[in-house]
Amino acid sequence: PVTLQYDIDSASVTDNGVYTCKAAFTPSVLGSDLSEEINQYVRMATVPASTVYVIADQTAVIQCTFYGDDVFDTVTWTKDGSVVGGSVTLASQPYSTDTFSRTHTATIAGFTDSDEGSYTCSSTPSSGGNQLSVSQTVTS
């Protein structure tokens, strides 16, 4: 077997898109023409800022965006390692076929000191593969 690998160091949103690998074999090698094309999307997760500052009693909105060829339907939000709940409202935008992305939002109404912490948004691609996670610190 032949293995080809293309690494993107420090992938960013500008690297998002379809990467195509084409292989063609001549008849003298396999006895017939054979070609294969593989499309792979860059999978990554981003946040607008690593720290979100909120004024007490105001609304905090934190977001994470997953990029890639998967829908990333199932997202888990945690705060300091525990699944969020209570006053946190979760929402997700539809998957965008234009940007190959989906943004998920956690909204905290009436922000208090007890809401401060590290919020992590995690998802596993619907087709399998490694879980992607990204964190933001929310503080007043």
Side-chain angles (χ1 to χ4, degrees), residues 20-92:
T20 303
C21 175
K22 293 182 180 180
F25 302 93
T26 61
S28 62
V29 174
L30 296 175
S32 64
D33 286 327
L34 174 67
S35 65
E36 182 70 29
E37 184 174 307
I38 301 168
N39 293 321
Q40 180 63 53
Y41 296 79
V42 174
R43 292 179 179 162
M44 71 180 83
T46 64
V47 291
S50 60
T51 303
V52 176
Y53 297 95
V54 184
I55 298 171
D57 296 323
Q58 298 298 310
T59 299
V61 178
I62 53 178
Q63 293 182 326
C64 66
T65 302
F66 291 98
Y67 293 87
D69 55 342
D70 287 298
V71 178
F72 295 99
D73 280 328
T74 305
V75 170
T76 303
W77 282 92
T78 58
K79 175 188 166 242
D80 299 329
S82 298
V83 175
V84 298
S87 63
V88 180
T89 304
L90 305 178
S92 298

Side-chain angles (χ1 to χ4, degrees), residues 9-30:
D9 295 326
S10 301
S12 69
V13 174
T14 59
D15 296 310
N16 189 36
V18 179
Y19 289 78
T20 303
C21 175
K22 293 182 180 180
F25 302 93
T26 61
S28 62
V29 174
L30 296 175

